Amino acid sequence: MTATEGLSLDDISVLLVWTAIAIYALAFIAYTIDLSRRSAALVEAQDVAVRDKELVAAGSGESVAQLRAQESAAEASLYARGSARQRLLFARIGTTLTWLAFLFHVGADVARGIAAERVPWSNMYEFSLTGTMLIVAVFLTVLFRYDLRFLGSFVTGLVVLLLGSATLAFYVEITPLMDPLKSVWLVVHVFVASLGTAFFALAFALSVLQLLQARRERKVAAQVEPPAGTVVKTGPRFVRLLPGADAMEAMAYRFAIIGFVFWTFTLIAGSIWANDAWGRYWGFDTKEVWTFVIWVLYAGYIHARATRGWRGTRSAWLSIVGFAAVMFNFTIVNMFFKGLHVYSGLS
Amino acid sequence: MSRSRSEADSEPLRPSDHVDGVAVSDDRRDGSGDITQPRLGFIGWMRWAWRQLTSMRTALVLLLLLAIAAVPGSIFPQRTADPNGVTQYFTDNPDVAPILDNLQLFDVYASSWFSAIYILLFISLIGCVIPRTKHHWKALRSRPPRTPARLARLDDHIVSEIAHEDDPDKHAQDAVDLAASQLRTAGYRVERYDRRGSYSVSAERGYLRETGNLVFHIALIGVLIAVGLGGSFTYTGQRVIVEGTTFVNALTDYSSFNPGRFVNIDEVSRYSMTLDSFDVTYQDAGTSGAGQAGDFSANLTTQVPGEEATEGSVRVNHPLKLEGDSIYLLGNGYAPTITVADADGNVVYQDSVPFLPQDNNLTSLGVVKVADGLPEQVGLVGFFYPTAQALDTGAFTSIWPDLVYPVLTLNVYAGDLGIDDGAPRSVYTLDTGSMEKLTGTDTDVESIELMPGDSAELPNGWGTVTFTNEAPEGSEGYEQSVKRFASLSIHHDAAGPWVLLFAVLATLGLLVALFVPRRRMWVKATTTESGIQIEYAGLARGEDPILAAAVAQMARKHGDALESGK
Ligand code: HEM
């Protein structure tokens, strides 16, 4: 890998990464345009309906009936498949661009792996590279089943942010693995953890939207008869495109439990590995502590969903806190906390 | 809607504040309109407290507390994981450290508050699981509940009509017979509820969901018990072993040994191990990661009494399993062979002394204690540099971890080694408090510098010290001139396999509990004037995203079968 040979495989990988980031950024723009265009159109249509029927004074916001109608329409399209789906120009552009960027992303990941002659997830830079790739992979796969294109902005935005900053801040040259990392468990444990993270990310996004939607539902329900001319603020406009809070909660829960199963497996696989490498399966090392904390938080979330008084808004907060802990574990704990897991590759 | 008896029986038992829970006496009391609580006796209070402890809300709050309580252990150094870090913390923050220590923040996971949380959680868990298990045991043999009178009220409901037949009653019965057998094949438990003119099958599936849930929660108790008891049956020991020497698995041969409470020292397996060689590779200079050591391998010959000697190796991630023990590689380094002779040339000391590595290039520090044979007790404190390079100051440093240009420097101390009183002293440190420094800075004599094979005079004409070259006769370079040592850790972990077993059971239980749908399904055939009407309906018990699809599929399959059966 001397400079005279021109571009090394790793250089190519980095080029592919930046190309992918650029295309993800375009996808983000397309998805965002889609959201704003659709919500503008929807608000317009609702206003027209209101004016036509002269139900209430113009501009006073939506009625409960409108909210219901909109939400059930959004729910129906959530489950629509194939040709039954809404044909949304900018959302389609967004998805196409995401696919394209994803191909570059996979190329970058594979090139890095070949250049390093091992799995490309053994330092911070590589965790980020592979982890974000899995987030996109899960998102694109899920799209076949549910029309979650309204999450496109979130997913592409998150990936641009994470991948971009990882490439700027965490990039390290390929170095040979340290002995403790030479294990099949590196392959399994880290991969499954990233996969779990991808599902938690989708659950997180849906939980945030659920909270926004729940607020809107509350506000709309509360406006008994608003004085003419007042505009009731019900949150960002795009919330009007989304399914009801309950439907999003159910969807978030579905992703969270898949993430939870992967996380449980991560915990166990990590213990087996720790037992091989360090001679004990559990030692409350910082990284172990945080993996455990995250596991317990999501167990709490699952319980909250089944506890009277906790289903809904409160449990959504737990899903949000859980994902915040996942991100904290990946960034702050890896970089600043002292422990045995010193594999960030940053010194 | 009043629940029929069989319906309540087949429902999993849940704490009263579960979202699907049936309000029990607790709530009924509140709902009675009576604001003052009825007076409870002691038993009543205990019952009330127990119900609180085993409620969903308590479990949830305890889980969240557990998560929060675990965090400080990642912020402050812990005595178990990082004792040196704790000492350092006390030095750096002398004011705060004792306060934190009083709050048990350096022993979070053994602290009274952390223990209180998880013990309460597990009492709650046991209190929750036992009645549910009993109930589920009965539910497993209960019959699916009566078909609701008006299936059309259910969300997932499909109706189909079949035109008049000569004997509608019989056709209705046959259709339901067929549905029942289809449902049974699909894993449903079925029960017929027939009346004149209206025949139906009530089916239920997914009891496994509750079974999985119970297995999951019980396995968690198993994990806790295995971890808790396991420590008492576990021992760990450490031992440093130099190439060519042998170690016997007996208490006296360990440098440290930590048995659990119930370990019987006499039953520790007997075997011996000889370190034949220690391998390590270094990344070549000029590549990325140059000098990084890897592929460590301690190659051992092991001997179990009464068996053939076998060869094995201990590598990182690949402990050697022997007689139920696991042998791990903890560290490694150089053990220069040092020979001391008196003025007459009699050897008074000879040993390969493990030197502890101080940096990545294996600059290593070691101590030699010569108790007898010289006019006074002598201590040698030395640095070993596998590839030495002189700094501007005249001191050495090692610039490469392999043996390219090995140099040993020694300073000589004379006086009282402090080993005669029998108190244990570390072999890696020299207490120079009551000794006189004879060479090096602050003395007139230069420190001793040796390369393999070299000898030097001890001060005062006391004799000589030799850095013995261990390389076989006729070999070139310094590659084999110094022996290596491996530090091994021997573990006997009685609980590990049990913990793993319960963890795997928990995972399996979890998969079943989360992904097996639990639902009811009904197929009802009613005779009408124009023929028979068949209704299909489903009801989810818990999360069931595919219920609608399941009902539609049932209707299609049944319709097709009826069609082809004609
Ligand atoms: C050690 C602490 C605990 C952990 C880690 C834990 C974890 C979980 C998880 C992951 C689930 C979802 C899996 C499933 O649905 O079967 C669950 C469900 C459940 N847990 Fe726990 N649990 C704990 C303690 C408890 C306690 C103390 C209770 C009793 C109050 C309890 C009652 C339940 C119930 C009733 C469900 C079913 C929820 C539903 O219907 O969806 N758990 N628990």
Side-chain angles (χ1 to χ4, degrees):
Chain A
M1 274 198 299
T2 53
T4 50
E5 283 170 30
L7 281 183
S8 71
L9 201 51
D10 186 36
D11 296 334
I12 293 173
S13 166
V14 173
L15 280 179
L16 291 174
V17 169
W18 283 114
T19 314
I21 292 175
I23 305 174
Y24 280 132
L26 292 177
F28 172 77
I29 294 172
Y31 275 130
T32 310
I33 292 177
D34 169 60
L35 287 183
S36 80
R37 272 171 54 128
R38 277 160 67 202
S39 45
L42 202 70
V43 171
E44 185 111 326
Q46 285 185 346
D47 282 353
V48 168
V50 167
R51 241 176 282 133
D52 285 355
K53 293 190 189 159
E54 292 180 57
L55 285 173
V56 275
S60 69
E62 345 161 54
S63 65
V64 174
Q66 278 179 329
L67 174 101
R68 292 255 164 77
Q70 175 269 309
E71 284 188 348
S72 58
E75 256 151 66
S77 48
L78 180 61
Y79 293 98
R81 292 202 199 174
S83 54
R85 272 195 193 162
Q86 277 179 287
R87 298 176 76 78
L88 307 164
L89 177 64
F90 276 91
R92 295 174 97 190
I93 295 176
T95 308
T96 312
L97 287 172
T98 308
W99 268 105
L100 185 65
F102 179 65
L103 293 182
F104 279 98
H105 198 162
V106 172
D109 203 56
V110 170
R112 174 83 181 186
I114 295 175
E117 297 173 6
R118 56 170 161 73
V119 287
W121 51 85
S122 31
N123 53 48
M124 276 288 272
Y125 168 65
E126 293 173 0
F127 301 148
S128 312
L129 184 62
T130 306
T132 48
M133 186 181 85
L134 288 176
I135 292 180
V136 181
V138 168
F139 174 65
L140 289 174
T141 312
V142 163
L143 281 189
F144 286 116
R145 185 134 182 207
Y146 308 114
D147 190 353
L148 283 173
R149 286 180 289 179
F150 58 81
L151 289 187
S153 294
F154 165 77
V155 172
T156 50
L158 182 76
V159 168
V160 167
L161 201 74
L162 288 180
L163 190 54
S165 47
T167 313
L168 287 175
F170 301 153
Y171 177 79
V172 285
E173 285 193 7
I174 293 169
T175 48
L177 284 187
M178 289 190 269
D179 263 25
L181 289 181
K182 292 174 189 160
S183 166
V184 281
W185 293 108
L186 170 68
V187 181
V188 181
H189 167 77
V190 180
F191 187 81
V192 174
S194 310
L195 210 53
T197 305
F199 280 95
F200 286 152
L202 291 184
F204 161 80
L206 285 163
S207 296
V208 171
L209 296 181
Q210 173 199 338
L211 287 181
L212 292 174
Q213 189 67 289
R215 201 179 72 162
R216 168 175 171 239
E217 287 168 4
R218 264 198 316 278
K219 294 220 165 153
V220 169
Q223 50 165 19
V224 189
E225 237 181 81
T230 53
V231 176
V232 181
K233 274 272 183 205
T234 53
R237 277 177 160 195
F238 72 86
V239 174
R240 300 189 178 197
L241 299 174
L242 304 177
D246 285 349
M248 283 193 289
E249 178 174 13
M251 189 69 74
Y253 178 77
R254 235 169 273 172
F255 291 138
I257 58 179
I258 298 174
F260 185 75
V261 169
F262 284 133
W263 203 259
T264 307
F265 184 83
T266 303
L267 205 63
I268 297 173
S271 301
I272 298 175
W273 187 6
N275 195 38
D276 283 348
W278 299 325
R280 89 285 183 292
Y281 51 85
W282 193 264
F284 283 110
D285 178 58
T286 45
K287 200 77 184 168
E288 291 170 348
V289 170
W290 278 91
T291 306
F292 172 73
V293 166
I294 290 162
W295 188 78
V296 173
L297 282 174
Y298 278 99
Y301 167 71
I302 294 174
H303 270 218
R305 278 262 311 165
T307 307
R308 208 179 293 151
W310 279 77
R311 183 170 272 201
T313 301
R314 283 193 187 177
S315 71
W317 275 111
L318 282 179
S319 152
I320 291 167
V321 170
F323 187 66
V326 171
M327 284 290 117
F328 184 82
N329 187 27
F330 175 64
T331 53
I332 310 291
V333 175
N334 274 5
M335 288 188 285
F336 302 113
F337 281 43
K338 206 178 143 195
L340 288 169
H341 287 76
V342 283
Y343 307 124
S344 67
L346 314 166
S347 43
Chain B
M1 188 176 84
S2 75
R3 287 155 180 263
S4 70
R5 180 161 172 73
S6 67
E7 183 173 6
D9 281 350
S10 72
E11 207 63 24
L13 186 66
R14 293 287 186 244
S16 60
D17 59 344
H18 187 278
V19 280
D20 298 336
V22 199
V24 293
S25 51
D26 202 44
D27 301 70
R28 234 180 266 147
R29 205 179 297 132
D30 291 340
S32 66
D34 194 356
I35 295 174
T36 51
Q37 288 271 327
R39 289 206 291 145
L40 300 171
F42 177 71
I43 302 283
W45 278 111
M46 291 305 286
R47 205 174 277 153
W48 178 84
W50 180 247
R51 197 155 49 229
Q52 291 308 308
L53 185 63
T54 57
S55 71
M56 291 297 282
R57 207 169 297 129
T58 307
L60 173 56
V61 168
L62 287 173
L63 275 170
L64 297 183
L65 279 178
L66 186 71
I68 295 167
V71 171
S74 72
I75 296 170
F76 302 107
Q78 298 296 297
R79 286 215 168 80
T80 44
D82 183 15
N84 298 335
V86 178
T87 317
Q88 190 61 39
Y89 200 93
F90 269 85
T91 324
D92 296 346
N93 311 282
D95 300 331
V96 200
I99 303 174
L100 298 182
D101 201 17
N102 275 336
L103 297 172
Q104 299 173 306
L105 283 167
F106 300 117
D107 306 281
V108 166
Y109 307 105
S111 68
S112 42
W113 41 275
F114 190 80
S115 312
I117 296 173
Y118 77 77
I119 289 171
L120 274 179
L121 183 59
F122 275 85
I123 293 177
S124 167
L125 182 53
I126 293 167
C128 179
V129 156
I130 290 176
R132 279 173 55 194
T133 310
K134 270 199 234 155
H135 180 90
H136 187 56
W137 185 252
K138 276 191 228 131
L140 281 175
R141 273 159 294 150
S142 72
R143 312 307 313 164
R146 188 169 295 284
T147 310
R150 284 202 252 154
L151 285 176
R153 278 197 190 159
L154 297 168
D155 282 344
D156 295 292
H157 178 245
I158 293 174
V159 189
S160 74
E161 306 273 348
I162 295 179
H164 190 80
E165 305 278 349
D166 15 309
D167 188 357
D169 223 48
K170 175 167 183 313
H171 276 274
Q173 277 192 48
D174 288 349
V176 174
D177 282 346
L178 178 66
S181 80
Q182 282 183 336
L183 283 164
R184 206 177 291 115
T185 340
Y188 285 79
R189 182 176 305 176
V190 298
E191 184 77 2
R192 290 290 295 266
Y193 290 101
D194 294 343
R195 271 184 297 121
R196 257 208 80 71
S198 165
Y199 303 87
S200 71
V201 54
S202 169
E204 177 148 29
R205 57 154 291 159
Y207 288 80
L208 206 53
R209 190 182 179 93
E210 177 72 353
T211 310
N213 182 303
L214 290 170
V215 167
F216 169 77
H217 284 91
I218 293 170
L220 289 187
I221 303 174
V223 169
L224 190 79
I225 293 176
V227 170
L229 286 184
S232 308
F233 295 97
T234 296
Y235 61 77
T236 62
Q238 268 97 47
R239 164 73 201 206
V240 164
I241 178 171
V242 178
E243 280 178 322
T245 61
T246 298
F247 157 72
V248 183
N249 191 29
L251 207 48
T252 48
D253 239 15
Y254 279 104
S255 36
S256 78
F257 189 76
N258 311 302
R261 211 173 334 152
F262 301 134
V263 172
N264 184 350
I265 309 285
D266 300 331
E267 284 172 14
V268 169
S269 351
R270 298 287 149 155
Y271 49 81
S272 67
M273 296 182 281
T274 307
L275 181 63
D276 299 325
S277 63
F278 187 86
D279 298 338
V280 52
T281 59
Y282 300 102
Q283 296 300 322
D284 290 339
T287 62
S288 60
Q292 181 183 312
D295 298 327
F296 302 106
S297 173
N299 305 313
L300 300 166
T301 300
T302 56
Q303 172 88 60
V304 178
E307 290 181 26
E308 293 268 302
T310 50
E311 293 190 350
S313 68
V314 181
R315 288 175 294 141
V316 181
N317 277 322
H318 300 279
L320 180 70
K321 310 265 190 231
L322 189 65
E323 296 285 284
D325 291 2
S326 299
I327 299 153
Y328 296 88
L329 186 59
L330 276 191
N332 69 93
Y334 290 104
T337 306
I338 295 169
T339 310
V340 178
D342 64 14
D344 301 331
N346 303 318
V347 172
V348 294
Y349 178 94
Q350 178 163 42
D351 204 358
S352 299
V353 185
F355 273 47
L356 297 183
Q358 308 292 309
D359 64 22
N360 284 340
N361 283 328
L362 269 83
T363 298
S364 312
L365 177 64
V367 166
V368 172
K369 296 178 184 177
V370 186
D372 302 304
L374 296 178
E376 285 187 51
Q377 288 191 328
V378 166
L380 306 174
V381 177
F383 276 99
F384 175 70
Y385 310 91
T387 300
Q389 188 176 54
L391 297 170
D392 292 341
T393 57
F396 286 109
T397 185
S398 175
I399 54 164
W400 192 249
D402 213 352
L403 295 168
V404 177
Y405 191 79
V407 170
L408 177 70
T409 65
L410 295 169
N411 273 330
V412 185
Y413 291 81
D416 182 7
L417 284 172
I419 53 181
D420 297 333
D421 58 5
R425 292 278 185 278
S426 164
V427 293
Y428 299 107
T429 55
L430 184 68
D431 180 3
T432 56
S434 46
M435 302 194 82
E436 187 195 349
K437 194 175 185 190
L438 300 182
T439 67
T441 37
D442 304 333
T443 68
D444 305 335
V445 191
E446 293 221 348
S447 302
I448 296 171
E449 273 177 39
L450 301 169
M451 290 197 63
D454 293 351
S455 289
E457 295 285 324
L458 287 172
N460 306 337
W462 281 352
T464 56
V465 54
T466 308
F467 179 9
T468 309
N469 190 339
E470 293 282 358
E473 206 73 31
S475 55
E476 275 182 38
Y478 289 108
E479 222 164 84
Q480 293 170 289
S481 59
V482 183
K483 287 191 184 179
R484 288 177 177 269
F485 75 85
S487 110
L488 300 179
S489 177
I490 289 108
H491 293 206
H492 183 83
D493 186 354
W498 289 98
V499 176
L500 182 62
L501 175 76
F502 285 120
V504 169
L505 273 181
T507 313
L508 294 178
L510 185 67
L511 281 170
V512 168
L514 291 177
F515 300 114
V516 169
R518 182 163 135 71
R519 68 169 77 105
R520 301 224 174 104
M521 198 81 106
W522 293 278
V523 180
K524 182 167 165 187
T526 325
T527 51
T528 62
E529 296 182 0
S530 54
I532 56 176
Q533 181 199 49
I534 305 185
E535 290 172 276
Y536 307 90
L539 182 65
R541 319 300 298 149
E543 292 298 321
D544 187 359
I546 55 166
L547 177 67
V551 175
Q553 195 198 3
M554 175 72 216
R556 192 161 8 90
K557 241 175 82 182
H558 187 242
D560 290 350
L562 278 182
E563 195 76 19
S564 60
K566 256 183 206 164

